Amino acid sequence: MLARGHRRIKLTQEDAYLYERAQEILSLTDQTTSQLQSGAVVSGTINIGAGESSTVGPVMQALAQIMTHYPHVRVNLVSGDNVTLRQQLDTGFLDFAVLMGHENLTDYNTLPLKRGNRWGVMMTATTPLAQKAAITPQDLVGQPLLTSVQTERQDTFRQWAGDVLSQFNFVGQYNLLFNAGLLVKTGACLALCYDGLVNVEAGSGLVFRPLTPTVIDSNTLVWNKNYHLPNVAQLFIKEMRALIN
């Protein structure tokens, strides 16, 4: 159904939802057709999603190994938060996802990655808090904070902040830290984020300060127990296990 405005016609919320699902179905159909038509032992596309993190290096190394030895293999990289990635994993749009933080993963095959993500605060170098080596929960009281979509609901972060969390001034959310960094650079706010995602070298105007006590999120490669993975996906698992063991 179309909703008519004063000068334009736009999709209703229900139609927008159906449109997004239709796009996923068409993409999944194309992927399936490609896999079935290929007679090669190792071919097709590896569809993998992950949040923003500098610790997914082993995933990229495994992909590089496969792409080097099997030039017909293609890679589809998707960025998103855990909720979005799990939905796409469950519908078959993704073969794999790297989920960050502590989640119930009993419905998936899992492969823990060794390195974790250190939480901290990104701010301008001229912010008074930039003079500190690490940031406590009390330091953030009253500060205008940007946070990732999933940060506030994570138990780990809640445990770190404790009762002080209710005094935090969350002014917005982000799903791509690069754009959030541009807003932080104006001095309008600070951003809770993982270490190593934005250039904070001298001259960038930005600094990163870790949280104290230290907060580390785990990284876990997951895939659906109920789907039969094509040969190229099985090779990817083999490469990942070789890299992290």
Side-chain angles (χ1 to χ4, degrees):
M1 181 180 294
L2 298 175
R4 293 182 177 275
H6 293 295
R7 295 186 178 181
R8 61 180 183 176
I9 297 175
K10 62 180 182 179
L11 291 174
T12 63
Q13 183 177 350
E14 291 80 6
D15 287 330
Y17 174 81
L18 289 173
Y19 176 71
E20 292 176 359
R21 298 292 80 75
Q23 286 186 309
E24 291 182 359
I25 292 171
L26 289 173
S27 177
L28 181 58
T29 300
D30 290 342
Q31 294 171 25
T32 303
T33 300
S34 175
Q35 299 289 357
L36 290 175
Q37 288 179 344
S38 176
V41 173
V42 179
S43 63
T45 302
I46 301 174
N47 301 283
I48 183 165
E52 290 184 298
S53 172
S54 61
T55 63
V56 296
V59 173
M60 302 310 163
Q61 292 175 32
L63 292 175
Q65 289 275 11
I66 294 172
M67 294 170 71
T68 300
H69 291 93
Y70 305 96
H72 294 295
V73 169
R74 297 293 177 263
V75 174
N76 178 33
L77 299 176
V78 177
S79 297
D81 59 42
N82 283 7
V83 172
T84 301
L85 296 178
R86 288 181 72 148
Q87 289 173 345
Q88 295 183 344
L89 197 62
D90 292 343
T91 59
F93 182 74
L94 292 176
D95 302 314
F96 303 96
V98 178
L99 300 182
M100 299 169 185
H102 304 284
E103 299 242 345
N104 183 353
L105 302 176
T106 56
D107 293 335
Y108 302 96
N109 293 308
T110 62
L111 187 60
L113 305 185
K114 289 184 177 180
R115 289 185 58 198
N117 308 292
R118 182 174 64 166
W119 276 103
V121 182
M122 179 175 61
M123 63 191 85
T124 63
T126 57
T127 301
L129 281 181
Q131 303 305 312
K132 302 197 63 173
I135 303 300
T136 68
Q138 289 74 21
D139 291 331
L140 298 182
V141 172
Q143 298 285 349
L145 297 173
L146 279 181
T147 182
S148 65
V149 175
Q150 67 190 46
T151 302
E152 284 187 82
R153 64 173 179 263
Q154 283 190 344
D155 288 339
T156 301
F157 185 73
R158 289 180 178 276
Q159 291 170 7
W160 174 80
D163 295 337
V164 178
L165 183 64
S166 62
Q167 302 177 53
F168 286 2
N169 178 25
F170 291 107
V171 297
Q173 296 180 329
Y174 67 85
N175 68 339
L176 291 176
L177 188 59
F178 178 82
N179 291 335
L182 296 178
L183 182 56
V184 170
K185 205 167 186 176
T186 69
C189 57
L190 291 66
L192 287 162
C193 61
Y194 289 156
D195 192 7
L197 295 182
V198 171
N199 177 23
V200 292
E201 296 177 357
S204 69
L206 296 172
V207 296
F208 176 89
R209 297 293 181 263
L211 301 183
T212 184
T214 302
V215 180
I216 302 290
D217 268 352
S218 59
N219 289 324
T220 307
L221 179 70
V222 303
W223 60 99
N224 202 307
K225 288 182 177 179
N226 300 319
Y227 290 167
H228 175 72
L229 293 176
N231 289 339
V232 66
Q234 295 179 28
L235 178 60
F236 172 71
I237 295 172
K238 180 179 179 181
E239 291 286 348
M240 282 298 303
R241 285 178 171 150
L243 281 171
I244 65 177
N245 290 332

